[in-house]
């Protein structure tokens, strides 16, 4: 049933959500809730009082849903309040769950919770349902005590008040929303109220006992309980029993059984109150299922899968073990962005069914983790296909297009595999291992798979550990800016400095992390732009100090990564730091990788031109023999080029007789374009001599001393 109230709480698209909007939305939910409860059962309150009570309860639920940290137990008391108001009709709880469930999932006030909205809604409804159930039980217990008291008083009252007492008992007996049975000590039924007749869909109870009403397998336990009451071992018992209707349908019920005594000492009858808990049990089962399964595909979620994984590891035959597959769909965003989220959801459901089909003949579980990630755990047997065969089957299944409105869509997957993990493996660690194996597979391209390798896992773990520590190291000043000489090869004279990073890492085994590795780690943590600014500021300060101290005008060279070069704030950041440190723009030599300039990625080319226009010396780094490299040199205002490291290493290896000739031609081309040529990583005197003879102007590397350091620690150049 829905409320006839007009929806006045919906905020127009684009309108900023205000406190007044949220209040109106809550008011609407409260009024609808009050309307449905009032129409489902008689409430001894005015409509205004019911509306006010529901507004207060809606505020409790919504405030708890949006509060951080989230604690679902804060709605404890909502169910009790409903029972106290006598909202105990046969559909009261169902309508409460319906109203609050829809509101928690659809009200705009809760949109900012994003993917946590469903999880919190389930948790809140579970607490409210449990609280309502407990309050209902207590309400029934109270009613049972009232009935018992009324019966005892009726037996003890004088004859003149007998009729009044019986009338009072009849009123309580017949009007109780719970089923009530009056039975002899042997279980023979004397009287039942209308609620029990409705609950069991039975009007005539003549000749029946309490034990005829329950499932035959549970009857002996109920008989034993009633005998204990008759013998005086207990005054009241509460049991969960399955009652059977004449058509065989089961009713899950809570039974409270107590003894009535004629003279206060002699047991004469059993008083039984029955509460139908079928709907509540179904609701709790549904909430439990939702908390362990993915709503879209119906597959187990990560929590359920983790529990199953632990069980499989313990039960697997040590000879064949188990195999864990972690899958990630390739370029799934292309489907959702190109064809819409609805098609993407249908693809995910199709993938779920196909993965289940692949392992249909195995003792296996398929789960959906997050987004487009899936996992499979297979408890292997002697007939289970090997890993390669299983991977082939998965790829073949996923490669078959599925058609939506005439469009054939297919999704490939990258897969990380952990084969035969130890039976005592930690589940969390095992899932992390599978995820890292998947990442390594994805690094090789799409539709790739990889098998867990302990050595690679140890290396990656060390790498990720360093990346995770990097923000703290930067804040604590452990990552320092140093400079190394830029040397003119003709005359072996220092004509400038290049800024670099050095991290003296002291956690575990002390080590010095190089400039190149620092930048690679920074790319993983989002620190690459802040590191650029730190590098510019500190190095500019050092070079400016050096020039003032020694009366020189030596330049500062800074090499940017691809992401640093594409930053739209690059030009502003460079000019601001030069202004702050006092270093002239003409003394800054800023280099960008040729790959990002050729691709015209982001704002790299615009940044390159604007820096040149502002007087910064611009360089093309990683310069090679490709036609695009030369085209880039012709079209951009580049003052110099830096030879690609791969060519330097190839010359050192001496494996090709053509590399020397190629490099000399490349250097000649750069010089014809009016650019100076720089070479990095010169290690020996012979290498320096070769590069000088080839026409290179400037060089850097371990051959030149001193090594990278703070300029304040350098001697006179």
């Amino acid at each position: 049933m829905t409320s006839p109230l007009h929806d006045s709480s919906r905020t127009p698209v684009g309108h900023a959500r205000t406190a007044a909007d949220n209040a109106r939305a809550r008011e609407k939910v409260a009024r609808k809730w009050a309307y449905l409860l009032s129409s489902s059962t008689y409430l001894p309150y005015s409509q205004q009082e019911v509306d006010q009570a529901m507004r207060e309860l809606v505020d409790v639920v919504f405030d708890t849903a949006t509060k951080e940290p989230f604690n679902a137990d804060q709605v404890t008391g909502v169910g009790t309040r409903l029972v106290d108001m006598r909202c105990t009709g046969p559909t009261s709880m169902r309508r409460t769950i319906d109203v609050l469930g829809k509101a928690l999932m659809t009200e705009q006030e809760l949109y900012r919770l994003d993917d946590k909205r469903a999880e919190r809604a389930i948790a809140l409804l579970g607490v409210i349902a449990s609280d309502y159930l407990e309050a209902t039980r207590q309400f029934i217990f109270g009613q049972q005590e009232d009935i018992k008291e009324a019966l005892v008083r009726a037996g003890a009252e004088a004859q003149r008040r007998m009729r009044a007492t019986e009338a009072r008992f009849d009123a309580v007996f017949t009007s109780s929303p719970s089923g009530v049975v009056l039975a002899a000590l042997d279980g023979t039924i004397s009287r039942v109220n209308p609620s029990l007749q409705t609950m069991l869909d039975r009007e005539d109870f003549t000749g029946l006992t309490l034990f005829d009403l329950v499932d035959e397998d549970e009857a002996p336990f109920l008989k034993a309980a009633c005998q204990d009451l008759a013998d005086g071992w207990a005054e009241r018992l509460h049991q969960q029993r399955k009652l059977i209707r004449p058509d065989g349908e089961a009713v899950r019920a809570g039974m409270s059984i107590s003894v009535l005594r004629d003279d206060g000492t002699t047991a004469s009858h059993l008083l039984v109150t029955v509460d139908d808990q079928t709907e509540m049990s179904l609701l709790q089962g549904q909430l439990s299922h939702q908390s362990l399964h993915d709503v879209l595909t119906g597959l187990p979620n990560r929590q359920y899968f983790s529990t199953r994984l632990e069980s499989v590891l313990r039960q697997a035959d040590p000879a064949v073990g188990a195999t864990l597959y972690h899958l990630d769909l390739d370029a799934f965003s292309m489907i959702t962005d190109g064809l819409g989220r609805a098609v993407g959801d249908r693809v995910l459901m199709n993938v779920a069914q196909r993965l289940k089909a692949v392992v249909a003949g195995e003792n296996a579980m398929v789960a959906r983790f997050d987004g487009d990630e899936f996992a499979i755990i297979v408890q292997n047997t002697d007939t289970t296909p090997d890993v390669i065969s299983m991977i082939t089957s998965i790829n073949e299944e996923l490669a078959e297009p599925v058609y939506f409105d005439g469009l054939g869509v297919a999704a490939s997957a990258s897969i990380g595999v952990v084969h035969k993990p130890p039976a005592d493996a930690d589940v969390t660690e095992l899932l992390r291992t599978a995820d890292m194996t998947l990442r390594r597979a994805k690094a090789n391209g799409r539709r790739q798979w990889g098998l867990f390798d302990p050595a690679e896992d140890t290396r990656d773990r060390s790498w990720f550990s360093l990346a995770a520590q990097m923000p703290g190291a930067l804040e604590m000043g452990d990552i320092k800016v140093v400079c190394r000489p830029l040397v003119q090869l003709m005359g072996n004279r220092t004509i400038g400095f290049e800024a670099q990073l050095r991290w003296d890492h002291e956690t575990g085994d002390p080590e010095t992390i190089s400039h190149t590795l620092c930048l690679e780690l920074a790319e993983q943590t989002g620190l690459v732009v802040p590191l650029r600014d730190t590098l510019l500021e500190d190095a500019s300060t050092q070079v400016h100090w050096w020039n003032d101290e020694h009366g020189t005008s030596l330049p500062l060279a800074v090499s940017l990564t691809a992401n640093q070069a594409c930053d739209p704030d690059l030009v502003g950041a460079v000019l601001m730091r030069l202004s702050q440190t006092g270093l002239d723009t003409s003394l800054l030599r800023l280099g960008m990788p040729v790959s990002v300039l050729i691709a015209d990625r982001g704002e790299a080319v615009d940044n390159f031109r604007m820096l040149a226009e502002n007087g910064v010396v611009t360089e093309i780094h990683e310069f090679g023999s490709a036609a695009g490299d030369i085209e880039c040199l012709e079209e951009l205002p580049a003052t110099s080029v830096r030879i690609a490291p791969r060519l330097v290493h190839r010359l050192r290896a001496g494996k090709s007789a053509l590399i020397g000739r190629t490099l000399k031609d490349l250097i000649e081309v750069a010089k014809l374009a009016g650019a100076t040529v720089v070479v990095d990583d010169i290690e020996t005197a012979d290498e320096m001599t070769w590069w000088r003879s080839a026409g290179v102007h400037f060089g850097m590397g371990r051959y030149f001393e001193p090594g990278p350091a703070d300029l304040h620690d350098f001697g006179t150049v």
Side-chain angles (χ1 to χ4, degrees), residues 92-211:
S92 296
M93 194 58 209
R94 185 179 65 205
R95 293 181 174 181
T96 293
I97 294 298
D98 184 49
V99 170
L100 293 181
K102 290 179 179 177
L104 290 170
M105 293 302 296
T106 61
E107 286 301 329
Q108 295 187 32
E109 180 182 356
L110 306 178
Y111 280 5
R112 63 185 179 84
L113 298 178
D114 200 15
D115 57 338
K116 297 187 288 187
R117 188 166 66 251
E119 177 183 350
R120 292 191 178 187
I122 291 173
L124 291 171
L125 294 179
V127 172
I128 292 172
S130 297
D131 184 41
Y132 180 87
L133 176 60
E134 182 58 28
T136 303
R137 290 176 180 170
Q138 295 300 324
F139 176 70
I140 293 170
F141 291 161
Q143 284 191 329
Q144 187 271 336
E145 288 297 325
D146 291 342
I147 295 171
K148 176 181 176 182
E149 182 179 356
L151 291 174
V152 171
R153 284 201 307 269
E157 288 285 339
Q159 185 64 35
R160 62 184 178 83
R161 302 190 60 184
M162 181 65 68
R163 292 181 180 178
T165 303
E166 290 178 351
R168 187 182 305 114
F169 170 76
D170 286 342
V172 174
F173 188 87
T174 57
S175 64
S176 173
S178 301
V180 183
V181 182
L182 188 63
L185 295 179
D186 63 359
T188 302
I189 296 175
S190 302
R191 185 179 179 186
V192 300
N193 72 341
S195 293
L196 186 68
Q197 292 176 324
T198 301
M199 187 185 304
L200 296 183
D201 195 22
R202 181 195 293 268
E203 294 184 359
D204 186 9
F205 289 79
T206 304
L208 297 179
T209 68
L210 287 174
F211 321 120

Side-chain angles (χ1 to χ4, degrees), residues 236-275:
R236 184 173 63 183
L237 294 175
H238 183 77
Q239 295 188 339
Q240 298 288 328
R241 293 296 171 205
K242 186 187 298 183
L243 305 184
I244 305 299
R245 291 176 174 172
D247 60 2
E249 183 179 353
V251 177
R252 201 68 194 170
M255 301 179 67
S256 295
I257 312 171
S258 59
V259 177
L260 297 181
R261 302 183 185 277
D262 285 343
D263 55 4
T265 57
T266 304
S268 61
H269 290 83
L270 297 175
L271 181 65
V272 184
T273 56
V274 183
D275 176 33

Side-chain angles (χ1 to χ4, degrees), residues 638-660:
T639 304
S640 65
V641 298
R642 184 178 297 188
I643 301 298
R646 58 184 174 80
L647 298 178
V648 177
H649 298 159
R650 190 168 182 82
L651 177 68
R652 179 178 297 136
K655 295 181 179 179
S656 172
L658 298 177
I659 187 63

Side-chain angles (χ1 to χ4, degrees), residues 448-589:
Q448 301 295 314
W449 70 278
L451 192 63
F452 167 67
D453 183 285
E456 290 184 346
D457 186 71
T458 300
R459 182 200 63 199
D460 287 349
R461 184 180 301 198
S462 175
W463 172 271
F464 293 143
S465 175
L466 284 175
Q469 298 173 48
M470 199 167 195
L474 180 61
E475 182 175 353
M476 297 301 294
D478 294 336
I479 300 177
K480 297 179 174 59
V481 175
V482 294
C483 294
R484 60 172 179 165
L486 176 63
V487 178
Q488 186 178 39
L489 298 189
M490 189 63 68
N492 197 19
R493 181 173 61 90
T494 298
I495 55 88
F497 301 98
E498 182 180 51
Q500 292 199 317
L501 297 168
R502 184 179 67 199
W503 181 7
D504 295 325
H505 185 263
E506 297 182 356
T507 303
D509 296 330
E511 61 176 325
T512 298
I513 298 175
S514 68
H515 173 75
T516 301
L517 184 54
C518 280
L519 292 178
E520 291 179 4
L521 291 170
E523 293 283 0
Q524 303 295 322
T525 60
L527 286 177
V528 71
V529 172
L531 272 180
R532 176 205 65 196
D533 295 341
T534 298
L535 186 72
L536 276 169
E537 184 173 347
D538 288 2
S540 296
T541 300
Q542 291 183 38
V543 172
H544 183 65
W545 171 86
W546 176 276
N547 287 333
D548 283 350
E549 187 74 12
H550 297 86
T552 58
S553 298
L554 300 184
L556 168 66
V558 176
S559 179
L560 300 179
T561 68
N563 286 332
Q564 290 172 342
C566 295
D567 180 22
D569 297 326
L570 173 63
V571 176
V574 169
L575 297 179
M576 180 180 70
R577 279 156 183 79
L578 291 178
S579 176
Q580 290 174 342
T581 59
L583 187 69
D584 191 86
T585 55
S586 63
L587 296 181
L588 178 63
R589 303 171 64 96

